[in-house]
Amino acid sequence: MAAPRENVSLLFKLYCLTVMTLVAAAYTIALRYTRTSDKELYFSTTAVCITEVIKLLLSVGILAKETGSLGRFKTSLRENVLGSPRELMKLSVPSLVYAVQNNMAFLALSNLDAAVYQVTYQLKIPCTALCTVLMLNRTLSKLQWISVFMLCGGVTLVQWKPAQATKVMVEQNPLLGFGAIAIAVLCSGFAGVYFEKVLKSSDTSLWVRNIQMYLSGIVVTLVGVYLSDGAEIKEKGFFYGYTYYVWFVIFLASVGGLYTSVVVKYTDNIMKGFSAAAAIVLSTIASVMLFGLQINSNTEEATTDLERETLLQKSGEGYCT
C-alpha cells in the first residue's frame, strides 16, 4: 500500500539538493587530500565502517527529536527496529547489494583499462532511470530520457582519462571485466531504486528506515574490514593513520549520506544523479585549482575515484554518486 504523499516545498527540495551537491564536492576534495598526503595512509574500510556508525547515531538522535518524548522514542525503536526482524531484513538488501557492487567494481577495474571502466560505469545513470520505470511504475518523457543520456555523456567527458596513461603490467581479462561492470551497474540502479521504493511505500519515518539500514550496513562493513584489512589492522590498529582531516572526511560522508536519504525520500534517484554529476564537475574544477590536477590518470588514480564512491555509498544509493 502506497504511503500518502507528503507535501514538501520546492524550496526545501532545492535546499537538500544544493547541500548534498556541495557536501559531495567538498568530500571528494578532502578525501583526495587525505589519500595523497605524505602521512601514514589509513584503512579506507575502517573509515567506511565508522561512517555507518556515525550515520546510525545521527539518525537515532534525529528520531529522538522527531518523536518528542523518551517514551515514544523507545516505543518506535521497539516496534520498528528491535521487534521487526522482517523490516531489518528488508533494509539489509541495499547494504548487501552495495557490497556486491563494490566488489564487482574493483574486479572490473582490475580487468579493464581505466578509461574504459570510467565510461562503462556511467551506464549506472540510465540503468537507474530504467529501474525507476520498472520498479516504481513511472513513465519518463522523451525529454527526461534525453536528459538522462546527456547526463551520462557529460559525466563521462568530465571523468575521461587518456588511454595512453593507463598501461598496466598485469594480465587482464576484458570479458570478466565487462561482466563485472554489468553486474555493478545493475546493482547500482537496483539498490538505489529499491531503497526509494521502501521509503515511499509506507508512512514509516525516514529516520527509522535509516536506522534499519545502517544497522545492517555496520555488519556488512565490519565483514569488509575483516576480509580486506584484517591482518594489517590487527598489527597496526583500527585507527591507524587517522588525523583530524580523516575525521573531517568521515563527518562529510556521514552528513552527505543523511542528506542523500532525504533527497531520495522527497525527490527521486534521477534527481540524485543530477546532483551527483554536479558534484563531480565542482570537485574536478576545485581539484584543478587546489591540487593542480591534470586531466590524465593511471590505474592508481582510478582506484582512488572508486574509493571515493565506496565511502559515499550506503545511505540510499549510498552516497552513491
Side-chain angles (χ1 to χ4, degrees):
M1 180 177 178
R5 192 171 185 84
E6 300 181 59
N7 294 320
V8 178
S9 68
L10 177 62
L11 185 62
F12 176 76
K13 294 179 181 179
L14 290 175
Y15 160 76
C16 291
L17 284 166
T18 301
V19 172
M20 175 185 163
T21 302
L22 294 177
V23 170
Y27 168 83
T28 303
I29 296 166
L31 178 60
R32 175 177 170 80
Y33 175 78
T34 63
R35 301 302 284 182
T36 56
S37 65
D38 56 359
K39 296 182 174 62
E40 295 89 351
L41 195 60
Y42 60 96
F43 300 108
S44 61
T45 52
T46 63
V48 176
C49 184
I50 294 171
T51 298
E52 291 297 291
V53 173
I54 292 176
K55 287 190 291 187
L56 174 64
L57 295 176
L58 289 174
S59 295
V60 169
I62 296 172
L63 178 63
K65 182 178 180 181
E66 183 180 75
T67 53
S69 72
L70 182 60
R72 285 196 293 269
F73 172 65
K74 289 182 177 179
T75 300
S76 180
L77 286 180
R78 183 170 59 251
E79 292 180 353
N80 297 299
V81 181
L82 302 178
S84 299
R86 182 178 178 181
E87 293 300 307
L88 284 174
M89 291 297 295
K90 184 188 297 184
L91 269 296
S92 69
V93 172
S95 297
L96 293 173
V97 173
Y98 288 135
V100 173
Q101 177 191 341
N102 292 338
N103 283 289
M104 290 298 102
F106 276 110
L107 179 62
L109 189 59
S110 300
N111 288 279
L112 293 175
D113 180 272
V116 175
Y117 167 84
Q118 291 289 359
V119 173
T120 54
Y121 195 57
Q122 299 316 317
L123 290 174
K124 65 182 182 178
I125 298 172
C127 182
T128 298
L130 181 61
C131 287
T132 297
V133 172
L134 296 177
M135 296 172 63
L136 301 180
N137 296 319
R138 291 184 190 165
T139 56
L140 300 182
S141 66
K142 289 183 179 179
L143 181 59
Q144 288 175 312
W145 278 112
I146 291 172
S147 299
V148 166
F149 280 100
M150 287 182 65
L151 173 65
C152 181
V155 173
T156 298
L157 289 175
V158 170
Q159 294 191 324
W160 175 257
K161 314 295 183 182
Q164 68 270 19
T166 60
K167 295 178 181 178
V168 293
M169 301 301 294
V170 296
E171 184 178 352
Q172 294 181 322
N173 185 337
L175 186 60
L176 178 61
F178 281 117
I181 204 71
I183 295 174
V185 165
L186 290 173
C187 287
S188 177
F190 170 79
V193 178
Y194 176 90
F195 183 64
E196 181 180 348
K197 184 178 179 67
V198 171
L199 286 181
K200 296 178 178 179
S201 61
S202 73
D203 58 359
T204 303
S205 167
L206 167 65
W207 307 110
V208 168
R209 291 303 192 191
N210 276 345
I211 290 169
Q212 292 169 339
M213 187 170 69
Y214 296 148
L215 283 171
S216 60
I218 290 171
V219 174
V220 171
T221 54
L222 279 174
V223 172
V225 168
Y226 175 77
L227 295 178
S228 299
D229 302 306
E232 288 188 83
I233 289 173
K234 187 175 181 180
E235 177 186 345
K236 298 180 179 179
F238 193 89
F239 297 102
Y240 175 79
Y242 274 59
T243 64
Y244 290 117
Y245 293 110
V246 175
W247 284 109
F248 180 62
V249 166
I250 292 172
F251 170 76
L252 288 176
S254 303
V255 172
L258 295 183
Y259 269 99
T260 300
S261 64
V262 173
V263 166
V264 171
K265 170 74 172 178
Y266 296 114
T267 61
D268 53 44
N269 273 278
I270 297 176
M271 288 303 298
K272 190 194 68 168
F274 278 91
S275 172
I280 290 172
V281 174
L282 288 175
S283 62
T284 300
I285 294 172
S287 293
V288 171
M289 297 173 62
L290 295 175
F291 304 116
L293 174 68
Q294 298 184 6
I295 310 303
N296 55 28
S297 185
N298 51 31
T299 304
E300 181 180 355
E301 283 182 88
T303 303
T304 301
D305 291 337
L306 192 56
E307 284 180 324
R308 179 196 73 209
E309 289 190 322
T310 302
L311 280 168
L312 288 177
Q313 285 166 352
K314 307 266 191 312
S315 68
E317 152 48 318
Y319 199 36
C320 181
T321 52

